[in-house]
Amino acid sequence: MSLAIQNIIPVIHAKWFGKDESCVIDNVSIDSRSLQNNNGTLFFALVGQHHDGHQYLSELIEKGVRNFVVHHVPEKLADQANFLVVDNTLEALQEFAAFYRRQFDFPVIGITGSNGKTIVKEWLNFLLSPEYNIIRSPKSYNSQVGVPLSVIGINEKHNLGIFEAGISLVGEMERLGHIIQPTLGVLTNIGSAHNEGFASETEKIQQKLKLFENAPVVILQKNDVIEAFLKPGTKAFTWSFDDASAEVLITKKTASSFEIRHKNETFTVTLPFHDKASEENSITCLMVLLYFGYEVQTIQERLVHLYPVEMRLQVKNGINHCTLIDDSYSSDYQSLKIALDFLEQHKTHKKKTVILSDIFQSGFTAEELYSKVAKLLKNNHIERVFGIGDNISAYLKDYPNFIPFATTQEFVAHFNPNEFEYETILIKGARSFQFEEIVVLLEEKTHETVLEINLNAISHNLNFYKSKLKPTTKMMAMVKAFGYGSGSFEIAKLLAHHKIDYLGVAFADEGIALRNAGITMPIIVMNPENSAFAAMVAYQLEPEIYSASVLKKFIALAQQKNLYNYPIHLKLDTGMHRLGFEEKDLDELIGLLKNNNLVEVKSIFSHLSSSDVPEFREFTLGQIQKFDVWSSKLISALNIEPIRHILNTSGIYNFAEYQFDMVRLGIGLYGVGNDAEEMQQLENVGTLKTIILQIKDIPTGDSVGYSRKFRAEKPIRTATIPIGYADGIPRRWGNEKGYVLVNHQKARIVGNICMDMLMIDVTNIACEEGDTVTVFGKSPRVTELAEVVGTIPYEILTSISHRVKRVFYKE
Ligand SMILES: *Cc1c(COP(=O)(O)O)cnc(C)c1O
């Protein structure tokens, strides 16, 4: 991209407040944290429910960004940069993208539907790339922001676009259609995803079809209702399993082969999948190939090679304390940019290394491409780059600390584990390079049981609770007990990224571990032990002070260390009767703090004992009332302005009107609410998975497991899975109380749960050794498990043993 700033002004209907009209824009950004921002960046200050890009303008100016699209010019910065003032920065971004799209005249495929958009997009890219130079949406960038950013990636060398569009509200698709301007529409299917935003099924269909307003042809599964809604000028190119009036009739012949009848031709294709969704998505792709006039033989050859699409960037523990970011299935310029931003957000070590394969279909010449790649790597402070492939090896050879390999096999042959330690490593390669072999070498070896943590779900849950609060209310996130069992650094990183105000931990060592992982935000230690005070000060951890004796000891230390205004947090006991000052203690407390400048009361708080129990509503209101009165007394006696806070997760949900200045979010962040209605609004965060080790046929009368607790009354088939009470599975869950999921079906637990294993009944479930087993996740939720064994989800989550590997991912 290379556009004069002056030409952009009329496109987005902006008012110009600037001085340098000669600026040329070569990239667009909406993320102030991206290390890719520079003097050629046009920064759109987007404003969301929980976020305002205008906050970061001075920071960006310092980093060299010169051109901004904003709602208003910040007074202090008026003469320091060019400002393009618009009414709505998101609409301006969309208009800009639509304008940019119009500069190019090549076929563009627009994909929408309820499921399968990203898979179909990735497969089409794979199927069509031998003939075309393709620009496609990176990952699943299909939203109001993602689509414009995808389209802006087009350059002169591209000759085919594939963009996906997803909507959840009425009116959104029209804008996406305006930006994508598809010349071929693809409708994957209409399912139930995102139904809430629409009045009816019909409305949803009509809205989705807005993507195709100006598309001459739309590919879809034959459906008269949908076709009736297409614009008169739009032709439907349809397929069907049973309706012979479709242009393409598909008949399933065997488990994997299908007969295709198109015009006068009949042929067979083989698909490498057995599930219905993959079959339908493959057929959608086949339709595009037919529409593009591909020969039968080519279609047959390519479809067999379709592969499962991994859409997530995964964070894994590596050998020698490394952290891995596994993006081993794709390599293109757009997604490299995203992966580098992700690397910056999730690095647990300062040192960053990238292992990168040749990049295909960038649309640039090799020379242009790799000079751009080198610039990108340099801006992102990548210390070391392993390049795999002939092109990258040749063109990146001057990058400092560049290590070339011709092939993945060569890298594997020369691999020395000692060359990797205490660094964050991005592994990113085109599929053909099979970088999964590299991931295997660098990944920490553990057993097959993993707790997968969905980082998107944490963000979603955070935003859900934020939406219950005033925008000015601060947020403390509780990451005690290893982030409620979900992992602390990775979650703390994500929370830092969301600009949370405070982190809360239980003990000093948890806070120290976070500091060592590079977390710089304020951290409160809830149970400070006297012995840890000195270490806390060394690591800038802020103590909860709950009694006069603790305060005296801390003040003594502050004196000894010459501290000035060291932040402390006063805990009041308004009814929980765990820790805290009571009413009778307040005068002494005031006496100790009056005229004391060694410490500063940063916040005053209390904890609710029963915010989740409706019958104790009055009691809770009483706690809040006491908190208000007591904290007011301290504030006026000491003449201070502390942050006041009392609400935990269920407090936010049930008593949001008492949010004071801050809230302390715990379990809700991890996807657990205190009733079914609240749970509905949250996304599941942790999925505990394992695999089947062995399958056995048990004859009538035989027993299974210790103490012969289970006896087969008829012949059954069992599977043994490597997870037991030492992993945190409650033993009380055994003996047919609990169940796990195998291939989406319930398998009850038979016999006693062992230390490291348990046995399940798979008599009526098709499964094999090695198949995945879900212990809890989206279904069954951890709350179900907790209920069966008579405990609370907090206990289950925090008991998952550390030997269970945590794997973090982002969609
Ligand atoms: C753990 C804790 C919280 C968070 O509670 P949730 O119920 O998990 O939201 C809040 N405040 C204090 C003092 C805590 O110890």
Side-chain angles (χ1 to χ4, degrees), residues 507-508 525 527-533 536 546:
F507 295 100
V525 177
N527 316 350
E529 293 153 308
N530 299 341
S531 56
F533 279 167
M536 286 178 53
Y546 54 84

Side-chain angles (χ1 to χ4, degrees), residues 367-502:
E367 200 156 355
E368 278 172 327
L369 168 66
Y370 291 101
S371 88
K372 278 173 179 290
V373 169
K375 196 168 145 200
L376 206 53
L377 295 169
K378 184 162 161 275
N379 288 345
N380 279 279
H381 313 301
I382 305 301
E383 282 190 29
R384 191 159 65 136
V385 177
F386 291 84
I388 300 181
D390 292 335
N391 269 329
I392 194 166
S393 297
Y395 286 98
L396 230 56
K397 65 178 189 310
D398 295 329
Y399 193 86
N401 249 330
F402 180 74
I403 303 154
F405 292 94
T407 61
T408 305
Q409 288 64 41
E410 194 184 308
F411 177 94
V412 170
H414 290 90
F415 178 74
N416 174 0
N418 299 328
E419 283 176 16
F420 299 86
E421 61 172 9
Y422 294 101
E423 58 198 298
T424 309
I425 307 170
L426 169 67
I427 303 166
K428 187 159 179 59
R431 256 194 79 72
S432 56
F433 280 87
Q434 298 184 319
F435 270 17
E436 55 274 19
E437 290 180 29
I438 297 180
V439 175
V440 169
L441 292 178
L442 285 168
E443 198 173 358
E444 190 185 38
K445 304 296 171 287
T446 37
H447 54 155
E448 309 279 359
T449 300
V450 294
L451 181 60
E452 289 188 345
I453 304 294
N454 180 345
L455 295 171
N456 297 101
I458 294 183
S459 303
H460 167 92
N461 297 339
L462 175 65
N463 285 332
F464 168 70
Y465 288 100
K466 274 194 181 171
S467 74
K468 304 237 156 251
L469 303 170
K470 288 182 282 193
T472 48
T473 303
K474 294 185 186 323
M475 172 85 79
M476 182 188 315
M478 305 306 294
V479 294
K480 58 194 184 192
F482 192 50
Y484 287 52
S486 301
S488 54
F489 315 140
E490 295 79 1
I491 290 173
K493 293 260 150 166
L494 181 73
L495 295 168
H497 180 71
H498 283 292
K499 312 223 179 240
I500 286 282
D501 301 279
Y502 275 93

Side-chain angles (χ1 to χ4, degrees), residues 476-480 484 504-506 526-527 544 571 576 578 605-608 611-612 645-652 663-670 672 794:
M476 182 188 315
M478 305 306 294
V479 294
K480 58 194 184 192
Y484 287 52
V505 297
M526 295 290 169
N527 316 350
E544 163 185 318
K571 169 79 149 300
M576 172 83 177
R578 190 168 64 176
F605 71 110
S606 186
H607 194 45
L608 298 173
S611 57
D612 56 336
H645 46 114
I646 191 164
L647 302 183
N648 64 338
T649 300
S650 37
I652 302 171
V663 297
R664 301 187 304 274
L665 181 61
I667 193 100
L669 201 52
Y670 308 97
V672 178
Y794 296 73

Side-chain angles (χ1 to χ4, degrees), residues 16-42:
W16 167 256
F17 292 86
K19 26 180 209 145
D20 184 1
E21 306 188 356
S22 67
C23 280
V24 172
I25 298 304
D26 60 21
N27 72 86
V28 162
S29 169
I30 58 159
D31 185 354
S32 62
R33 294 159 298 216
S34 174
L35 296 175
Q36 294 155 37
N37 296 321
N38 60 38
N39 61 3
T41 300
L42 179 60

Side-chain angles (χ1 to χ4, degrees), residues 737-749:
K737 292 236 168 46
Y739 70 90
V740 297
L741 283 196
V742 178
N743 296 331
H744 307 291
Q745 284 166 280
K746 288 184 185 182
R748 63 187 172 143
I749 298 174

